[in-house]
Amino acid sequence: MSFVFQTTRSVLCEPGSSARIGELAAGLGCRKVAFITDRTVLELGLAAAALNGLKAAGIEVWVCAEVQPDPPESILLAAVEEAKRQGVDGVVSVGGGSSMDTAKLVAVLTRAEQPLSQMYGVGLVTGERLPLILAPTTAGTGSEVTPISIITIGENDKKGVVSPQLLPDWAVLDAELTMGLPRAVTAATGIDAMVHAIEAYTTKLKKNPVSDCLAREALRLLAGNIRTACFEPGNVEARSNMLLGSMLAGMAFANAPCAAVHALAYPLGGFFHVPHGLSNALVLPFVLDYNMPVAETLYDEIAPIIFPGKRGADLPGAFVALREELGMPTTLREVGISHNHLPMMVENAMTQTRLLVNNPREMTPEAALDVYEKAL
């Protein structure tokens, strides 16, 4: 047996823990940090505890709240230039996956001499980063424990930087940051995290015993709490369990990478700005069905964890039913996609070779088109 497993150095999991980000940053030697977030997080007051904690610790803060969903390269590069001008010596992010992905690269690019264009791909970052602390406001991306940052190039194309330098010093899991999430966001991000665990468990190239354990526990936590989190949004225990499940799934897929569900979901976000978690949920049942001939044994192992009493063959239908139960959109048409868009989507999805190489069954253009047609 031979494998490599890497993850975030330290994790703090506690309701209200974002208030301690100041002491964590001070412990890393920071005197002035870039605080990467978005306007919504600021307006909802979700960043207040962290900002107050930084101030109490005597740390200066430059706030960048310009992050957008599917973060554009132009916004990232502008943030890096201003971070350099501000003379920051650390980076903090309180936000969703887009904010955390942006923060990771701000931490690298503010210190490294290497241009971003040379970083796209796997293991290509050569420099070190500034101290980095990430606190998610959704239970879905797992970005706080992954060495991955996804950036939008031009209008629609997504590229990834994958390198261990992107793993932060601290992941801060504060369930209070997720308490106000609407049901639609809770459902979509929760299923996104479940997809991370499922694809990590069935990935073709880097599946390993550690990621398998993390994926199974992630699925137990996520499946066991997603309904409560959606329909009892103030339930702190359910919110904490969702955050922990999302983090464990992130640790799993950071080491046993995602595959065709993500590859086929990317065009939905890139071209139609469908939220990432919902994009995954819309194509998931049909990719599972496509993979069934080669992955059914593995699906049999995890199906009862997600849906007690079910077998692998039941997973596609069970996820269709779960989407409906949670009140999510269930077809591509509901998010503005028509049959005429499918060839363009197939073409884009097939460029996601970083992901497709991990799929348990080879994904062909014809199969991708079939998945999209069934998802319509």
Side-chain angles (χ1 to χ4, degrees), residues 160-184:
V161 178
V162 183
S163 196
Q165 288 94 325
L166 272 59
L167 288 166
D169 296 286
W170 281 95
V172 177
L173 306 184
D174 180 357
E176 292 183 3
L177 298 180
T178 70
M179 297 291 280
L181 283 177
R183 186 176 72 185

Side-chain angles (χ1 to χ4, degrees), residues 158-288:
K158 288 190 173 187
K159 286 189 177 181
V161 178
V162 183
S163 196
Q165 288 94 325
L166 272 59
L167 288 166
D169 296 286
W170 281 95
V172 177
L173 306 184
D174 180 357
E176 292 183 3
L177 298 180
T178 70
M179 297 291 280
L181 283 177
R183 186 176 72 185
V185 177
T186 301
T189 53
I191 289 185
D192 182 25
M194 294 167 79
V195 171
H196 293 154
I198 293 168
E199 292 209 293
Y201 198 80
T202 57
T203 194
K204 182 161 63 175
L205 295 183
K206 295 184 179 179
K207 178 178 167 68
N208 65 77
V210 179
S211 63
D212 283 352
C213 290
L214 293 166
R216 286 193 297 265
E217 179 62 8
L219 289 170
R220 186 188 71 80
L221 288 165
L222 295 163
N225 289 276
I226 191 169
R227 295 170 181 83
T228 304
C230 283
F231 296 110
E232 298 177 29
N235 190 308
V236 180
E237 182 179 5
R239 292 290 192 183
S240 291
N241 285 337
M242 291 297 291
L243 261 182
L244 180 57
S246 172
M247 186 199 73
L248 296 177
M251 287 180 172
F253 90 84
N255 292 276
C258 290
V261 176
H262 275 72
L264 270 64
Y266 275 168
L268 279 69
F271 290 106
F272 303 97
H273 305 293
V274 178
H276 176 65
L278 178 57
S279 299
N280 276 329
L282 288 169
V283 301
L284 171 63
F286 311 105
V287 176
L288 291 174

Side-chain angles (χ1 to χ4, degrees), residues 282 286 323 328-337 374-376:
L282 288 169
F286 311 105
R323 294 186 317 193
M328 302 174 68
T330 57
T331 67
L332 296 183
R333 285 192 175 91
E334 290 178 67
V335 295
I337 297 171
K374 289 175 178 175
L376 270 177

Side-chain angles (χ1 to χ4, degrees), residues 17-239:
S17 54
S18 61
R20 296 179 57 190
I21 284 176
E23 66 180 81
L24 300 181
L28 295 171
C30 298
R31 295 183 178 181
K32 183 174 185 177
V33 299
F35 193 94
I36 310 295
T37 188
D38 62 59
R39 291 290 171 192
T40 301
V41 167
L42 277 187
E43 289 166 5
L44 291 174
L46 297 176
L51 289 170
N52 290 337
L54 287 161
K55 182 179 179 181
I59 296 172
E60 287 188 69
V61 180
W62 166 64
V63 176
C64 172
E66 309 307 316
V67 176
Q68 299 174 6
D70 304 307
E73 186 181 54
S74 57
I75 286 180
L76 165 64
L77 294 176
V80 170
E81 286 308 306
E82 184 61 18
K84 289 179 177 178
R85 196 184 74 79
Q86 291 280 343
V88 304
D89 58 8
V91 179
V92 172
S93 180
V94 174
S98 295
S99 291
M100 291 189 287
D101 279 10
T102 302
K104 292 175 184 178
L105 286 174
V106 169
V108 170
L109 289 164
T110 302
R111 180 170 176 182
E113 297 298 322
Q114 183 185 15
L116 176 61
S117 59
Q118 294 179 8
M119 295 181 179
Y120 290 120
V122 180
L124 300 180
V125 176
T126 57
E128 290 302 319
R129 58 157 173 77
L130 295 176
L132 178 63
I133 301 170
L134 303 178
T137 54
T138 62
T141 68
S143 185
E144 68 276 10
V145 289
T146 71
I148 304 164
S149 184
I150 305 298
I151 298 296
T152 302
I153 311 299
E155 288 294 315
N156 306 304
D157 192 25
K158 288 190 173 187
K159 286 189 177 181
V161 178
V162 183
S163 196
Q165 288 94 325
L166 272 59
L167 288 166
D169 296 286
W170 281 95
V172 177
L173 306 184
D174 180 357
E176 292 183 3
L177 298 180
T178 70
M179 297 291 280
L181 283 177
R183 186 176 72 185
V185 177
T186 301
T189 53
I191 289 185
D192 182 25
M194 294 167 79
V195 171
H196 293 154
I198 293 168
E199 292 209 293
Y201 198 80
T202 57
T203 194
K204 182 161 63 175
L205 295 183
K206 295 184 179 179
K207 178 178 167 68
N208 65 77
V210 179
S211 63
D212 283 352
C213 290
L214 293 166
R216 286 193 297 265
E217 179 62 8
L219 289 170
R220 186 188 71 80
L221 288 165
L222 295 163
N225 289 276
I226 191 169
R227 295 170 181 83
T228 304
C230 283
F231 296 110
E232 298 177 29
N235 190 308
V236 180
E237 182 179 5
R239 292 290 192 183

Side-chain angles (χ1 to χ4, degrees), residues 296-326:
E296 186 169 5
T297 299
L298 294 174
Y299 290 155
D300 280 339
E301 294 174 9
I302 57 175
I305 301 173
I306 312 169
F307 303 105
K310 300 291 187 181
R311 298 176 299 112
D314 301 321
L315 279 178
F319 271 109
V320 168
L322 179 62
R323 294 186 317 193
E324 294 173 355
E325 181 183 353
L326 299 178

